[in-house]
Amino acid sequence: MRIKKPCPFNNYEFDYEESWLNGLAHDGLLLSKEGRFSYEFEKSDNHCRRYRIIPKKHEEFSDEELQLFQDSGWHMLLESDDKTYFYSDDPDAPDLFTDEESYRNYLKKNLRRYRNNIIWSILIVAVWGANLFLRMPGNQQFITELANNSLLSEISYLALILFLIEANASQGIGMLKCRRRILNGEKAECTAAFYIRKKAELILGGVIVSLALVALVITFTGSGRVRGDKVFSYNEPSPVLFREFSPEEWDFVKDNRQSFSWDDDKGVKYDYYLYNSSNLTLRKGCSENVYYAEAMNYNDWELPAYTSLTYDFRSENTADKMLRRQISNDMDLDRNDPEKENKILEISIDVPGADYAGYYEKRDGGSDLQYLYLRKGSKVVYAYYSGKMKLMDKLQLFIDQLEAGENL
Amino acid sequence: MGKKTLEPITESMYYVLMCLHNRNMYGTEIAECVRKLTDDRVKLGPGTLYSILSTFETESVISKISKEGRRITYAITDKGETLYQNELQRLRKCLWDAQRDLSFEESDSRVSTEDVKGTAGELSTI
């Protein structure tokens, strides 16, 4: 009869695992197979099996060592990750290690090489985690990114960071504790309470991983990106497109998309794409982004850059929050600025039918940057433009977009 | 300053040296020899034995002289022989000190003569 049991121990708790396996063997359950998440046991009348887990890969054992083990009644059972499992059914066979000193030295030697791995792993996760955190949607400048990734993506980022920290901390702490046990000669007894605690930790880790995965899947399946030439055949709902806003400049962008060359002293390379998205906070959204990806001597050019979007959030509150966050970013307002609300109100303009409308202009280097914000209920229309045209001259296009609910 | 891995020499190490002092042996023979020499008092687990053999070889106390299948036969080196003799001397001195101490205690009638003989008898088998 085969019985499956989860093994909740990490790599550095091999001595607890050993104690757990010995306890099960005493009750007549012998380990037969090792799976990814659980071990398989067979019922047996043999109650005197003993196990020893050595934190070393099978190929790292010398032939002589394995022969010595075998001659003394110890046989290899299986290999898992960086551990090798031995067993003995002979009650007269001496323990693998009969003096504490040799056991301690043996383990210390084998654990030393893991220490560097753990240190490197923690460093990599720290840098990666910090990088992920800084790139989190809330820190992005463009509302397209903000809205496309929104709150859900922030959760998935956080979940991923948490998972990485949890996995590494558990391994690192496990190794330090193991080292302490070895140096102090402590015996690892796997009591029922300890086993239950480890199982709970395993379940918690599993929940974190599952949440991270679900959040990531929903985020990525909820958005799509159309780039390059495919934009011309795009028939889905769209915001106010650049070709509608400024047909002349659109031709220029199209023509200059591939014209960039390092051999010329002048040149510009454009990129543009369309987004459509849907996720937990965003019912439906689409955006267009036109920007110069690379340019030489661009100060001599009046290069247009354009971002336009239409989003329908799942709640008015989220739409308002997102818009305010975008305005703050565009105006370079400090998050804790007490005048923030007033400054947002100062740029408001009168647009009939809109719950909020704002226009903001600023000079950055040699370019005039223009921003338009419209919100009606949960729907947001946003435009950013830098170029020869005036955004306000085409205001009606965006108002129409705000009112045309069927576009989304 | 490098760590001196052979100080202090453990009981298991000492018996391994003793066996190899008599003749060349392979691992399992050494474990069997120690068990017999000590009337089953000292049993060498294979992990412990392998750990000792590795340390001894690194420190040039023993050397490999032949290999038959997966079995390797070891011989004690001059350094190993010196280590063994020094340890033997130290233990004799310990025994001498213990006997002298016991004779002082005897005069205090705290330890019986039988106990002294028993202890000395056991140690003299070295």
Side-chain angles (χ1 to χ4, degrees), chain A residues 85-130:
Chain A
Y85 294 63
F86 291 91
Y87 75 92
S88 175
D89 288 333
D90 178 2
D92 293 328
D95 197 358
L96 269 188
F97 294 91
T98 41
D99 89 51
E100 202 54 51
E101 187 69 18
S102 66
Y103 181 54
R104 210 176 296 172
N105 287 339
Y106 190 91
L107 290 186
K108 262 160 68 181
K109 208 163 85 182
N110 284 305
L111 286 176
R112 208 171 292 147
R113 65 207 168 102
Y114 292 127
R115 191 182 52 196
N116 291 347
N117 293 352
I118 289 281
I119 291 170
W120 275 113
S121 175
I122 288 172
L123 274 177
I124 289 168
V125 166
V127 173
W128 195 23

Side-chain angles (χ1 to χ4, degrees), chain A residues 15-184:
Chain A
D15 43 355
Y16 280 103
E17 189 181 341
E18 196 177 273
S19 159
W20 174 63
L21 289 174
N22 284 332
L24 290 174
H26 185 72
D27 297 337
L29 285 179
L30 304 185
L31 177 64
S32 61
K33 211 170 143 191
E34 184 250 349
R36 180 48 55 190
F37 300 109
S38 65
Y39 285 176
E40 208 171 276
F41 295 87
E42 269 175 27
K43 276 225 168 218
S44 163
D45 294 332
N46 174 8
H47 293 259
C48 39
R49 176 164 289 189
R50 285 175 291 161
Y51 295 94
R52 268 294 195 184
I53 303 172
I54 307 290
K56 198 159 121 173
K57 287 180 184 169
H58 177 239
E59 61 263 26
E60 289 169 340
F61 286 89
S62 69
D63 287 348
E64 185 197 16
E65 194 173 9
L66 289 173
Q67 184 66 51
L68 270 176
F69 284 16
Q70 203 174 310
D71 290 346
S72 306
W74 286 89
H75 309 278
M76 200 192 109
L77 180 66
L78 48 92
E79 185 192 11
S80 155
D81 296 328
D82 291 341
K83 298 173 291 181
T84 308
Y85 294 63
F86 291 91
Y87 75 92
S88 175
D89 288 333
D90 178 2
D92 293 328
D95 197 358
L96 269 188
F97 294 91
T98 41
D99 89 51
E100 202 54 51
E101 187 69 18
S102 66
Y103 181 54
R104 210 176 296 172
N105 287 339
Y106 190 91
L107 290 186
K108 262 160 68 181
K109 208 163 85 182
N110 284 305
L111 286 176
R112 208 171 292 147
R113 65 207 168 102
Y114 292 127
R115 191 182 52 196
N116 291 347
N117 293 352
I118 289 281
I119 291 170
W120 275 113
S121 175
I122 288 172
L123 274 177
I124 289 168
V125 166
V127 173
W128 195 23
N131 191 32
L132 273 178
F133 183 76
L134 291 174
R135 282 170 174 274
M136 262 167 52
N139 290 313
Q140 296 281 341
Q141 290 297 314
F142 298 105
I143 199 167
T144 44
E145 296 294 327
L146 267 174
N148 272 309
N149 295 303
S150 75
L151 184 67
L152 181 64
S153 184
E154 290 192 2
I155 292 170
S156 64
Y157 272 114
L158 275 176
L160 190 63
I161 295 169
L162 275 177
F163 163 65
L164 291 171
I165 291 172
E166 199 267 341
N168 271 273
S170 137
Q171 287 291 309
I173 292 168
M175 198 202 77
L176 289 174
K177 279 186 177 170
C178 175
R179 222 182 119 71
R180 198 189 60 200
R181 285 199 300 276
I182 291 165
L183 291 177
N184 296 343

Side-chain angles (χ1 to χ4, degrees), chain B residues 1 12-14 19 24 31-32 40 53 86 91-93 98 101 103 106 110-111 113 116-123:
Chain B
M1 204 170 88
S12 305
M13 283 175 166
Y14 176 72
C19 290
N24 301 338
E32 191 57 24
D40 277 349
L53 292 176
N86 287 347
L91 288 172
R92 278 186 180 135
K93 185 79 177 59
D101 183 50
S103 49
E106 209 173 36
R110 279 194 301 229
V111 179
T113 317
V116 178
K117 278 180 183 169
T119 312
E122 199 173 302
L123 287 170

Side-chain angles (χ1 to χ4, degrees), chain A residues 162-322:
Chain A
L162 275 177
F163 163 65
L164 291 171
I165 291 172
E166 199 267 341
N168 271 273
S170 137
Q171 287 291 309
I173 292 168
M175 198 202 77
L176 289 174
K177 279 186 177 170
C178 175
R179 222 182 119 71
R180 198 189 60 200
R181 285 199 300 276
I182 291 165
L183 291 177
N184 296 343
E186 287 170 22
K187 200 162 166 55
E189 292 280 3
C190 181
T191 58
F194 183 82
Y195 183 70
I196 290 168
R197 186 162 67 80
K198 294 312 294 179
K199 243 164 93 169
E201 278 175 22
L202 188 76
I203 292 167
L204 186 70
V207 168
I208 293 175
V209 178
S210 309
L211 281 178
L213 283 176
V214 168
L216 281 172
V217 166
I218 295 176
T219 304
F220 288 119
T221 51
S223 63
R225 189 169 174 163
V226 186
R227 286 190 78 124
D229 293 335
K230 286 181 185 165
V231 169
F232 300 109
S233 55
Y234 179 75
N235 288 320
E236 298 294 314
S238 65
V240 177
L241 294 171
F242 192 45
R243 53 179 178 255
E244 300 168 60
F245 173 73
S246 177
E248 188 194 328
E249 282 181 321
W250 170 247
D251 287 341
F252 174 81
V253 166
K254 271 197 305 178
D255 294 344
N256 284 283
R257 194 161 65 83
Q258 299 295 338
S259 72
F260 184 86
S261 162
W262 287 111
D263 299 329
D264 300 335
D265 60 346
K266 283 185 178 179
V268 60
K269 183 179 175 186
Y270 264 94
D271 203 355
Y272 46 84
Y273 56 82
L274 280 160
Y275 252 129
N276 60 63
S277 350
S278 161
N279 57 41
L280 278 188
T281 54
L282 187 68
R283 192 174 291 123
K284 189 83 183 166
C286 51
S287 64
E288 185 192 36
N289 204 323
V290 177
Y291 61 97
Y292 35 89
E294 291 169 45
M296 289 178 77
N297 294 329
Y298 64 89
N299 286 333
D300 300 341
W301 296 67
E302 286 187 54
L303 300 175
Y306 179 79
T307 296
S308 164
L309 64 86
T310 311
Y311 282 153
D312 188 9
F313 289 94
R314 292 198 191 272
S315 83
E316 193 175 331
N317 186 32
T318 311
D320 188 50
K321 223 165 110 182
M322 285 298 202

Side-chain angles (χ1 to χ4, degrees), chain A residues 317-355:
Chain A
N317 186 32
T318 311
D320 188 50
K321 223 165 110 182
M322 285 298 202
L323 193 65
R324 280 170 194 280
R325 193 150 74 172
Q326 182 61 32
I327 296 171
S328 299
N329 279 342
D330 293 341
M331 294 178 77
D332 302 320
L333 298 180
D334 192 282
R335 189 178 288 186
N336 303 316
D337 186 350
E339 289 294 305
K340 199 168 104 176
E341 284 303 311
N342 287 340
K343 286 175 181 168
I344 291 175
L345 277 175
E346 271 171 24
I347 63 158
S348 66
I349 52 171
D350 188 30
V351 171
D355 294 331

Side-chain angles (χ1 to χ4, degrees), chain B residues 43-110:
Chain B
K43 284 182 183 173
L44 278 185
T48 296
L49 177 59
Y50 184 76
S51 180
I52 291 173
L53 292 176
S54 303
T55 310
F56 275 178
E57 210 201 340
T58 312
E59 299 288 332
S60 307
V61 170
I62 59 170
S63 62
K64 288 175 183 168
I65 54 163
S66 67
K67 189 176 177 187
E68 199 178 309
R70 300 208 295 185
R71 291 196 172 101
I72 295 172
T73 305
Y74 293 93
I76 195 164
T77 62
D78 290 344
K79 187 182 171 185
E81 191 59 43
T82 309
L83 183 71
Y84 172 66
Q85 292 301 338
N86 287 347
E87 186 60 14
L88 189 57
Q89 280 302 320
R90 193 184 69 80
L91 288 172
R92 278 186 180 135
K93 185 79 177 59
C94 287
L95 179 62
W96 168 249
D97 290 342
Q99 280 175 326
R100 199 172 48 174
D101 183 50
L102 282 172
S103 49
F104 286 141
E105 284 179 4
E106 209 173 36
S107 61
D108 291 344
S109 309
R110 279 194 301 229

